[in-house]
Amino acid sequence: QSVLTQPPSVSAAPGQKVTISCSGSSSNIGNNLVSWYQQLPGTAPKLLIYDNNKRPSGIPDRFSVSKSGTSATLGITGLQTGDEADYYCGAWDSSLSAFLFGGGTQLTVL
Amino acid sequence: QVQLQQSGPGLVKPSQTLSLTCAISGDSVSSNSTAWNWIRQSPSRGLEWLGRAYFRSKWYNDYSVSVKSRITINPDTSKNQFSLHLNSVTPEDAAVYYCARGTARDGVAVWGQGTTVTVSS
């Protein structure tokens, strides 16, 4: 069981918005930066968001993150079938001195 | 751009040492602004960060508690690469292993191609 908790799955229709939560604690999300990753089947994870809410070059602004206390939420607007993937949150844990990943959320675009 | 190329065996016997290498192009293993990580993924354990090596005037390592007694991550400045050594492996160590470049601040932005490791006699 991951220290960073994500829902196992979410779904929404094309064009709609979906949110994916990531819940942690004061030793990780509460006091450290959060990043998010997208993993398409058979490929390595891809960085979507870093430094809480910054997007690498090439990542559309349909992807955004909000953070409150010890939780962070990834929002995806204008859903496309190509967004079907597994999504992971990540954060440094100051108590463990380790980087943590959430358990992952499978997004289905119906 | 930065690219990482992994190499190493895909089959390791139980109790032996898993060794993988990650060759870096487009950056230096001695960069003082990033870190070099090993991450694995399995159906049972999900994405699991194993550890990192980084240079800030001297070399540092951080390791996951789950493997701390068995893991070593070493930089090789002469070949601009870094390696993973995980000893006393069991079938629980079977996974896809990734090398990756990044920090908690900047995110893990560059990933190797992944190596599927099977632990079996």
Side-chain angles (χ1 to χ4, degrees):
Chain A
Q1 191 165 349
S2 302
V3 176
L4 303 183
T5 303
Q6 300 180 232
S9 63
V10 296
S11 62
Q16 297 300 303
K17 176 181 179 178
V18 72
T19 60
I20 299 173
S21 61
C22 177
S23 177
S25 68
S26 59
S27 63
N28 42 69
I29 293 177
N31 284 287
N32 290 301
L33 300 173
V34 180
S35 50
W36 287 84
Y37 303 84
Q38 177 193 61
Q39 187 175 30
L40 299 171
T43 68
K46 174 184 176 181
L47 180 65
L48 273 183
I49 300 282
Y50 67 99
D51 195 356
N52 290 336
N53 198 16
K54 295 179 180 174
R55 285 173 283 107
S57 173
I59 302 299
D61 59 7
R62 300 189 297 107
F63 296 89
S64 64
V65 169
S66 62
K67 182 179 168 183
S68 178
T70 59
S71 292
T73 301
L74 172 69
I76 311 172
T77 59
L79 273 173
Q80 303 172 2
T81 55
D83 296 331
E84 282 205 337
D86 293 328
Y87 291 84
Y88 296 87
C89 58
W92 186 258
D93 190 291
S94 302
S95 296
L96 298 173
S97 291
F99 191 82
L100 302 178
F101 287 102
T105 299
Q106 183 177 54
L107 168 63
T108 301
V109 180
L110 300 168
Chain B
Q1 75 276 23
V2 181
Q3 292 185 318
L4 303 177
Q5 181 67 39
Q6 299 177 217
S7 60
L11 178 63
V12 183
K13 290 182 167 55
S15 80
Q16 296 197 340
T17 298
L18 182 164
S19 296
L20 298 173
T21 299
C22 184
I24 304 163
S25 58
D27 199 355
S28 169
V29 71
S30 301
S31 168
N32 61 9
S33 62
T34 193
W36 306 98
N37 305 267
W38 285 98
I39 295 162
R40 68 183 178 184
Q41 185 172 30
S42 65
S44 60
R45 302 173 76 100
L47 265 181
E48 181 183 15
W49 178 86
L50 299 177
R52 65 179 182 174
Y54 60 100
F55 186 76
R56 302 288 188 271
S57 302
K58 68 175 187 177
W59 287 102
Y60 295 88
N61 289 105
D62 291 304
Y63 297 127
S64 170
V65 170
S66 67
V67 294
K68 194 166 190 172
S69 62
R70 302 191 290 129
I71 190 174
T72 305
I73 296 176
N74 289 326
D76 183 341
T77 57
S78 66
K79 295 181 179 179
N80 201 33
Q81 62 187 29
F82 62 108
S83 62
L84 166 70
H85 299 282
L86 184 68
N87 59 39
S88 304
V89 299
T90 72
E92 288 245 317
D93 294 309
V96 178
Y97 284 75
Y98 295 100
C99 62
R101 172 189 181 268
T103 65
R105 170 178 294 278
D106 299 327
V108 182
V110 182
W111 297 69
Q113 79 274 25
T115 300
T116 300
V117 174
T118 302
V119 179
S120 174
S121 54

